[in-house]
Amino acid sequence: MASKLLNLVALSSLAIMACTFGAQPANALSHAHINHNINRHLAHTPIAKKKRDTKRCKARPSTSSAAPSTTPQTSSVKPQAAVASSKAPAPATTTKAAPPATTTQASSGGNSGSSGTGAAGNSKFGQRGSKVCNAWGNGNDPSLAQFKTEHVVGLYDWGVDKPANADKLGYDFWPMLWGSGGDKISAFESAVKPGLGTIILGFNEPNEQGQSNMDPSTAASLWKQHIEPKRDMGYKLCSPAMSSRPNGHQWMKDFMAACDGCHVDYQCVHWYDIGIDTLKSYLNQYHEELGLPILLTEFADQNFNGGSQATSGEIFDFMSSALEFFDNTDWILAACAFGVMHDLQGVNPLNLLQKSDGSPTDLGWKVINNSY
């Protein structure tokens, strides 16, 4: 009996010790798991920032749901120092439309460019038969000369690096502030002087995470600091360029409301889809919403929605119809087919405008000669 009693006492002691020195509560494990996830998120941040600094547009679906936008700011923003980071602010959740901002609207035809030196102030800009522009991706390559005809007026390169022979060839150069990164802003402010070009192009697809990726109020603040002052140098100003994703419509409405007191002379848009009727509907909707003349600074007969791509014959027929539509629509001032370069970066190669030797493809010849 005594031995059994001793055994019970020993077991009780062991139970007490287990309760005293046992495992930590479950919530300690939960905290460790949360910290691990935070570290993984931070490790991926530099990769995301590098992707947003990509100069060219990347493939994207044109029928995705709209991305969130922020509540527009209505107070004026005075010029400040350049933003040093390209990190985009976290998007807010409101998508309520705001009333349009007051803008200075450009004429739908005639000489809507600004004056300056070199090729600036070309009187053909926006005129019927002279609405072709080149989205150029080859730096100072001399093949640029092979893409200048009487029908081609504008030239841009997604930045501020005007090709050395652009003025001599008779191009109007259109510098762009691509995004919010400190390097982009610094290069823009250093390069843009009176006479560099005629039109400032706004941010490249800020409604896309893989492009300049910013909310409308941030874009409006940067516009006021860095783009609006260029009017005093004689430049006209073109809005941020929306991708063909549907969220661009709400993004532009919110931007115009946030950019109170800004002057937006033209609206820049991009379009990638299939068929001339789709393009016409897309451009008409933007024009009806904002009432601004349009610069279509990227477009191609390209399917990013999972269906089949257009054939070569369909692309040629599309381009004929598109060129005719542009010429006969007074509120479309310029259209740049994508793109004069050797690599279309995910776009159907049947849309190529330039051969490997630098000369125009048959489609490129059609575009630069406004042949329809």
Side-chain angles (χ1 to χ4, degrees):
M1 184 68 180
S3 61
K4 290 182 178 181
L5 182 60
L6 289 173
N7 286 338
L8 288 172
V9 171
L11 289 171
S12 299
S13 299
L14 287 171
I16 293 170
M17 291 176 66
C19 293
T20 304
F21 302 103
Q24 292 181 349
N27 63 345
L29 296 177
S30 298
H31 287 300
H33 180 67
I34 291 171
N35 289 334
H36 175 66
N37 283 338
I38 291 173
N39 290 335
R40 286 180 60 201
H41 175 73
L42 292 176
H44 284 286
T45 299
I47 297 175
K49 288 172 68 176
K50 183 176 180 181
K51 183 177 180 183
R52 286 198 295 272
D53 282 341
T54 303
K55 181 179 282 189
R56 253 289 305 129
C57 288
K58 299 297 182 183
R60 89 287 297 173
S62 62
T63 57
S64 300
S65 59
S69 60
T70 59
T71 303
Q73 298 177 347
T74 56
S75 59
S76 298
V77 181
K78 295 182 179 179
Q80 299 174 2
V83 176
S85 171
S86 62
K87 183 177 179 181
T93 57
T94 176
T95 58
K96 183 178 179 181
T102 301
T103 60
T104 300
Q105 298 189 3
S107 161
S108 60
N111 182 12
S112 300
S114 57
S115 60
T117 60
N122 193 315
S123 62
K124 291 184 176 181
F125 172 72
Q127 296 286 344
R128 192 173 190 274
S130 302
K131 297 186 178 183
V132 180
C133 50
N134 286 334
W136 175 253
N138 298 324
N140 287 322
D141 193 292
S143 64
L144 179 63
Q146 299 186 58
F147 288 84
K148 183 68 176 80
T149 69
E150 62 179 337
H151 306 285
V152 180
V153 173
L155 172 73
Y156 81 99
D157 68 348
W158 293 274
V160 294
D161 300 318
K162 179 165 68 173
N165 56 344
D167 283 352
K168 182 178 180 180
L169 291 170
Y171 282 103
D172 278 4
F173 182 63
W174 302 339
M176 174 189 288
L177 178 53
W178 191 92
S180 62
D183 57 338
K184 299 285 190 282
I185 291 174
S186 178
F188 179 81
E189 292 290 1
S190 296
V192 176
K193 307 297 181 186
L196 177 69
T198 58
I199 300 171
I200 301 293
L201 303 183
F203 314 110
N204 189 77
E205 299 188 355
N207 61 318
E208 291 286 344
Q209 291 186 356
Q211 295 300 309
S212 62
N213 188 29
M214 66 184 89
D215 62 87
S217 60
T218 298
S221 177
L222 291 173
W223 179 286
K224 292 175 181 179
Q225 295 172 49
H226 303 290
I227 295 180
E228 184 71 19
K230 303 303 182 283
R231 293 185 72 246
D232 293 337
M233 297 182 183
Y235 288 93
K236 296 289 186 178
L237 310 180
C238 196
S239 76
M242 295 295 97
S243 75
S244 47
R245 194 186 294 273
N247 68 345
H249 295 277
Q250 187 62 49
W251 196 102
M252 272 305 305
K253 291 176 183 177
D254 291 345
F255 170 80
M256 296 295 279
C259 211
D260 56 300
C262 297
H263 294 81
V264 179
D265 299 290
Y266 318 119
Q267 181 169 11
C268 285
V269 293
H270 295 169
W271 181 88
Y272 293 90
D273 211 328
I274 296 294
I276 187 62
D277 290 338
T278 308
L279 174 60
K280 289 179 179 180
S281 176
Y282 175 79
L283 294 176
N284 272 297
Q285 182 178 353
Y286 266 116
H287 184 248
E288 289 169 1
E289 288 173 348
L290 297 180
L292 291 170
I294 284 178
L295 273 59
L296 178 59
T297 47
E298 286 185 31
F299 76 98
D301 199 23
Q302 158 68 30
N303 192 340
F304 282 134
N305 297 313
S308 60
Q309 297 294 346
T311 65
S312 178
E314 289 169 338
I315 289 173
F316 270 76
D317 289 344
F318 163 82
M319 190 60 73
S320 292
S321 298
L323 292 171
E324 183 176 15
F325 173 63
F326 303 150
D327 250 3
N328 293 326
T329 306
D330 61 2
W331 46 264
I332 297 177
L333 303 186
C336 313
F338 181 75
V340 185
M341 58 189 69
H342 302 302
D343 178 7
L344 291 188
Q345 304 180 37
V347 172
N348 183 355
L350 294 177
N351 288 283
L352 272 170
L353 304 178
Q354 186 177 42
K355 297 178 183 178
S356 58
D357 66 1
S359 64
T361 62
D362 288 345
L363 183 65
W365 186 93
K366 182 180 189 65
V367 170
I368 64 176
N369 287 285
N370 200 39
S371 176
Y372 57 84

